[in-house]
Amino acid sequence: MDKFTVLNGLVAPLDRANVDTDAIIPKQFLKSIKRSGFGPNAFDEWRYLDHGEPGMDNSVRPLNPDFVLNQARYQGAQILLTRENFGCGSSREHAPWALLDYGFRAIIAPSFADIFFNNCFKNGILPIVLDAAEVDRLFNEVAAQEGYRLVIDLEAQTVTTPSGHVFGFQVDSFRKYCLLHGLDDIGLTLQHADKIRAYEARRRQSEPWVFM
Amino acid sequence: MSAQTLYDKLWQSHVVHTEPDGTTLLYIDRHLLHEVTSPQAFEGLRLAGRKPWRLSANLAVADHNVPTTDRKNGIADPVSRLQVDTLDRNCEEFGITEFRMNDVRQGIVHVIGPEQGATLPGMTVVCGDSHTSTHGAFAALAHGIGTSEVEHVLATQCLLQKKSRTMLVRVDGCLGKGVTAKDIALAVIGRIGTAGGNGYAIEFAGAAVRALSMEGRMTLCNMAIEAGARAGMVAADDTTIDYVRGRPFAPRGEQWDQAVAYWRTLHSDAGAHFDLVVELDAAAIKPQVTWGTSPEMVATIDDCVPDPARESDPVKRGGMERALAYMGLQANTPIDRITVDKVFIGSCTNSRIEDLRAAAAVVKGRHIASSIKLALVVPGSGLVKKQAEQEGLDRIFRDAGFEWREPGCSMCLAMNADRLEPGERCASTSNRNFEGRQGAGGRTHLVSPEMAAAAAIAGHFTDVRKLLS
């Protein structure tokens, strides 16, 4: 996993609530047995005018000019600004894989679906919760200024606008630590292998049927 | 000790270690796997030279990609076939128990776990699938995980978790005839919204929940995730214990007695504190039909499609307008005037024996409307199918014009050949009505099995209570 420290990135606005994981990466692309290559199919049904299937050459497919991420001014965006309950629906990690592969390293919204939120941290994407009024303000500023960028500082837990306004955000200290250092948490957990074994030994006594 | 919720008890009994910020290493008792979210996790294990921590915790089955028609010649779609073959190979390589496609025990992962007794009260149960909340019906702590966490559980038998807040959804009173667990679930989501449960573990309680069968409780917990809550749960009682008794993975003899004594403690204590309490009167719940592209966009059968012009919140109004355009619906249309093209009875929400019996009771002696292009019944498992056939339900469905298929996820998410064509409208017993969920451009209306059966007969949504009286 790549480290996340400070990100100075172009912002793309996706002004919808309840964007679900089926919309982020439609089911036909979940048949892949790999982790990479989902970026060209992120938001496939909104982004292209034809129907996408695995194996197509996405570079020649007709783009939907009405879909916001297709606008020239948002090309190369690394920060996605969106509305409440982003990432609802399925637990498919293909959703953060697709967003990461597309180029997003941070997502700002008033709220996120739980499983998606968790999956982001496992892939070096920082999901940031700001309150609805702050998100509204950012939507207005993005619309008003082409090339609008934000600076996200994970260590300081701040989002800074071009005019210098600073929003603070919360992040669990353990997740922050893992993200700042790009740590694989399986390795961290296995440092507690003795505790896991001791726990199992206790449960084998009290609830042996669990271990059959 | 102060009064505890069921969630507190389940959490506390699985804590291995806690970090200073509350991040907890939680022990996982049962890990269910399927073909879509596991290949990258197995690959990760291989790359790191790791082995599964405890093999017996794992049980695998292919369900998302499998065909529901004749399987003798395997899977026609090469991409789907590769994914299913990959699961077979991974299970073989790592020594994980798997029910393969032509095993009678094969089925939807959330149907077979309970059916086999692999899901037991007091367990933590995870699977790389959001509808793992289903298993909470057994007073288990169950939730969906991503693929990185699938790998984490395989390698360590634990997950890193933060404790959720607790919500009690109390449904008192008695459900009317023709009103089901599915209608409770949709009514709850209609009330609190699809984000209402974000950050919460929901316990469903009250007389109407106590009166539900295990199948009904599974339907209810299954939809907790559609309310935003990763976990839904119901306290253990006689209904739970009677269901589990004698199942292949359930304890026997002395251990059974010991287990039952423990399971009887799996309920919230009197006076336990919940962060939020939501109350519904079962008698007031009517058959529900979703009209939009989110499960919270739901109405009762005697109601109309809502009018976005009456919504004051601009983000919500925009969402409603987009949903109506996608669904091809006009505001203020009576729900029972909406015609359907296809009917799907199945999915991890509603494909168990009781669901099939209830739908068959509506269908019996009737025939699907001539306007219906396809009406599918997809049992949740090979064993559900077998039982239904022993009861003659397959004949009832076939005589009425339904197709009777092999078990799998099927048209709930259309990863196999079962899907909607663009613009087609479906009465579906599944759990998500998102854009494109059942096929690109397809239009999904979520209903109970009884309501889906009634829509198949009438050719449009209709109040099943009138057909039952």
Side-chain angles (χ1 to χ4, degrees), chain A residues 27 30 34 93 118 199-200, chain B residues 13 27 40 83 148-149 436:
Chain A
K27 86 283 270 158
L30 309 191
K34 299 186 181 137
E93 200 158 315
N118 200 32
Y199 171 88
E200 278 181 327
Chain B
S13 62
Y27 190 79
Q40 298 86 351
Q83 207 167 48
S148 295
E149 290 180 316

Side-chain angles (χ1 to χ4, degrees), chain A residues 15-18 20-23 26-36 38 45-46 51 53-54 83-86 88-94 97 111-115 118-119 122-123 136 171-175 178 184-190 192-197 199-200 202-212, chain B residues 13-17 19 21 23 25 27 29 36-37 39-40 50 53-54 56 65 77 79-80 82-83 86 120 122-123 128-130 144-149 151-152 155-158 160-162 194-195 197-200 225 228 230 249-251 255 258-259 262-263 296 315 322 413-415 419 432 434-440:
Chain A
D15 196 359
R16 298 183 186 215
N18 298 313
D20 58 74
T21 52
D22 280 74
K27 86 283 270 158
Q28 60 269 35
F29 304 107
L30 309 191
K31 296 181 185 184
S32 167
I33 57 171
K34 299 186 181 137
R35 250 174 214 270
S36 55
F38 295 99
E45 287 183 17
W46 294 343
H51 174 70
E53 284 292 334
R83 299 287 184 180
E84 68 163 10
N85 203 27
F86 186 82
C88 61
S90 116
S91 65
R92 61 187 70 166
E93 200 158 315
H94 312 66
W97 293 338
S111 62
F112 291 87
D114 283 350
I115 301 176
N118 200 32
N119 283 341
K122 311 286 181 194
N123 291 283
D136 252 345
V171 58
D172 288 341
S173 56
F174 185 77
R175 282 172 162 155
C178 290
D184 155 21
D185 43 49
I186 293 179
L188 289 176
T189 296
L190 287 173
H192 297 292
D194 290 347
K195 284 186 178 162
I196 302 171
R197 284 193 203 98
Y199 171 88
E200 278 181 327
R202 286 198 305 276
R203 284 284 303 293
R204 276 178 200 277
Q205 293 299 314
S206 62
E207 292 168 66
W209 56 87
V210 170
F211 296 86
M212 288 193 302
Chain B
S13 62
H14 290 86
V15 173
V16 172
H17 170 76
E19 297 284 339
D21 77 340
T23 301
L25 204 54
Y27 190 79
D29 297 326
V36 180
T37 56
Q40 298 86 351
R50 290 174 175 140
W53 179 278
R54 179 165 68 83
S56 67
N65 278 279
D77 173 2
V79 193
S80 288
L82 175 63
Q83 207 167 48
T86 303
L120 294 172
M123 276 186 167
D129 189 283
S130 59
I145 56 178
T147 297
S148 295
E149 290 180 316
E151 187 182 337
H152 195 281
T156 71
Q157 213 51 53
C158 292
L160 287 162
Q161 294 283 294
K162 282 296 267 281
T194 50
N198 280 1
Y200 288 96
I225 183 66
R230 275 201 296 180
F249 286 67
Q255 281 198 7
Q258 198 188 337
Y262 170 58
W263 295 344
E296 70 185 20
V315 175
R322 247 194 317 271
L413 86 167
M415 278 189 77
R419 64 185 65 170
R432 291 195 175 128
F434 299 156
E435 287 184 21
R437 172 82 179 178
Q438 294 191 291

Side-chain angles (χ1 to χ4, degrees), chain B residues 69-86:
Chain B
T69 48
D70 188 8
R71 292 175 175 174
K72 283 195 210 87
N73 299 320
I75 303 174
D77 173 2
V79 193
S80 288
R81 190 171 62 232
L82 175 63
Q83 207 167 48
V84 174
D85 288 349
T86 303

Side-chain angles (χ1 to χ4, degrees), chain B residues 135-189:
Chain B
H135 307 261
F138 290 83
L141 177 56
H143 62 82
I145 56 178
T147 297
S148 295
E149 290 180 316
V150 169
E151 187 182 337
H152 195 281
V153 172
L154 281 169
T156 71
Q157 213 51 53
C158 292
L159 271 184
L160 287 162
Q161 294 283 294
K162 282 296 267 281
K163 202 170 177 190
S164 302
R165 285 171 287 169
T166 53
M167 184 190 304
L168 177 67
V169 173
R170 188 163 50 224
V171 192
D172 279 319
C174 200
L175 285 176
K177 197 175 169 60
V179 184
T180 69
K182 182 66 162 284
D183 300 301
I184 300 180
L186 288 170
V188 169
I189 296 163

